[in-house]
Amino acid sequence: MTLYIVATPIGNLDDITLRAIETLKKVDLIAAEDTRHSGLLLQHFGIKAKLFALHDHNEQDRAQQLIDKLKSGLSIALISDAGTPLINDPGYHLVKACRENDIKVVPIPGACAAIAALCVAGLPSDKFSYEGFLPAKAKARQDYLTSLIDQTHTMIFYESTHRLIDTLQDMQTIFGADRQVVLAKELTKTWETIVSYPVSELIQWLQTDTARQKGEFVLIVEGKAKTDNEIDAKAISTLKLLLKSLPLKQAAALTAEIYGLKKNQLYQLGLTFEKTN
Ligand code: SAM
């Protein structure tokens, strides 16, 4: 009784993994979002398997049926229409229920549009947040983007053709016209396009040719730039600590070296501490 979470391609069928094929061939049942769509994928790889529909709207009810099947000894694979299940796709309730029932869950990793786009974006990838789809209603979308205004790490969004321009216009208003955005379109498919522009120029680029607005999109958005005169709290407390036993010039130099900041900036900050003491 094992549940396998199996990633499938996001466009190019050659991106299926050997383990995915092997797993899909051996399981007793494949739970899929759209059984007709997945039927075609399985047919392409010569996989004959029983399919079981698991959609977002019926997942909680259907999950219990799958738990019963797993408990009876069946092995099951979960796939979604494309990419990694649970990433903006069904599966969370099922995996949670498996964990609660001590049923083994095994990942079979593979394609994921968010990660594929991030790796080619040329924006910092050491820290990032996956934001998925923004709310459809303008006010909720603007409120959510406003809550991200101070994020300094890279942000990943999924977006659909018909909301792309509205979303970018909201980003322009809230994050500023110069914020860099990488648009990754139709990844792994024939019309794969990856462009990087300040958000205002990206909107112009899309409006120049409406065909550019069609397809599947990931938006990778640069985080807020740390301004030169922004010194984080840790650097400030280090400077204060060093000042207890060192002259300001030395304390500022050491803090600058530790945090990669400008010596003079810390020196000026230290002077303000001395004035207030
Ligand atoms: N589970 C999928 C994954 O692992 O990426 C995501 C499923 S979500 C319902 C579908 C959205 O993912 C699309 O609207 C688009 O934003 C993004 N997406 C999926 N395939 C893509 C592709 N080939 N190129 C660009 N974006 C893609």
Side-chain angles (χ1 to χ4, degrees):
M1 58 168 201
T2 302
L3 174 70
Y4 297 91
I5 305 299
V6 183
T8 56
I10 54 169
N12 188 327
L13 292 181
D14 286 349
D15 289 335
I16 194 132
T17 69
L18 298 175
R19 267 185 92 207
I21 296 175
E22 180 200 323
T23 306
L24 293 172
K25 278 187 174 158
K26 80 174 181 200
V27 291
D28 301 298
L29 195 66
I30 297 177
E33 254 189 297
D34 177 342
T35 50
R36 204 178 51 91
H37 174 95
S38 295
L40 294 174
L41 176 89
L42 299 175
Q43 204 183 340
H44 178 86
F45 292 105
I47 299 165
K48 289 193 191 82
K50 271 209 251 164
L51 283 161
F52 181 95
L54 187 79
H55 309 283
D56 264 336
H57 61 268
N58 70 7
E59 188 187 338
Q60 266 163 297
D61 295 340
R62 299 284 272 178
Q64 189 50 50
Q65 294 175 35
L66 289 171
I67 293 291
D68 294 341
K69 290 180 194 297
L70 285 157
K71 281 186 170 167
S72 77
L74 295 192
S75 59
I76 298 178
L78 172 68
I79 59 175
S80 55
D81 284 355
T84 302
L86 279 87
I87 306 301
N88 251 288
D89 272 333
Y92 160 68
H93 295 289
L94 177 60
V95 172
K96 183 168 175 271
C98 283
R99 295 245 152 257
E100 286 162 0
N101 284 274
D102 280 330
I103 294 167
K104 196 171 167 193
V105 186
V106 174
I108 309 291
C112 174
I115 300 300
L118 178 67
C119 350
V120 292
L123 288 174
S125 53
D126 53 341
K127 284 198 180 65
F128 60 89
S129 63
Y130 169 71
E131 304 292 344
F133 285 97
L134 282 161
K137 296 221 167 87
K139 168 86 173 71
R141 183 171 61 237
Q142 288 152 7
D143 286 349
Y144 190 76
L145 287 172
T146 304
S147 78
L148 298 175
I149 209 159
D150 285 324
Q151 290 289 5
T152 50
H153 56 238
T154 300
M155 293 163 275
I156 307 178
F157 299 88
Y158 282 173
E159 198 45 277
S160 65
T161 295
H162 55 286
R163 276 201 288 272
L164 183 63
I165 295 285
D166 286 348
T167 288
L168 289 170
Q169 278 169 343
D170 286 342
M171 285 179 177
Q172 173 172 235
T173 310
I174 294 161
F175 297 153
D178 295 337
R179 186 69 74 95
Q180 198 72 16
V181 178
V182 177
L183 174 135
K185 173 183 160 169
E186 296 288 279
L187 291 168
T188 79
K189 304 184 202 175
T190 312
W191 301 108
E192 177 179 274
T193 308
I194 298 149
V195 293
S196 177
Y197 288 111
V199 61
S200 53
E201 290 176 34
L202 180 58
I203 296 169
Q204 282 170 21
W205 182 84
L206 286 162
Q207 285 174 334
T208 307
D209 177 356
T210 51
R212 293 176 176 167
Q213 300 170 29
K214 305 228 158 65
E216 291 197 287
F217 300 93
V218 182
L219 297 172
I220 310 281
V221 180
E222 181 189 28
K224 182 185 165 195
K226 277 196 185 166
T227 55
D228 276 354
N229 42 15
E230 219 171 87
I231 303 175
D232 77 16
K234 276 192 199 155
I236 295 173
S237 57
T238 305
L239 180 64
K240 282 185 174 167
L241 191 73
L242 291 174
L243 275 174
K244 287 186 180 166
S245 44
L246 291 174
L248 174 57
K249 204 173 166 195
Q250 252 178 296
L254 276 174
T255 311
E257 197 172 329
I258 298 169
Y259 294 97
L261 296 165
K262 289 193 181 118
K263 256 190 287 187
N264 188 43
Q265 200 188 344
L266 288 155
Y267 184 83
Q268 297 301 327
L269 182 71
L271 284 177
T272 66
F273 299 157
E274 288 182 344
K275 274 186 205 146
T276 50
N277 279 337

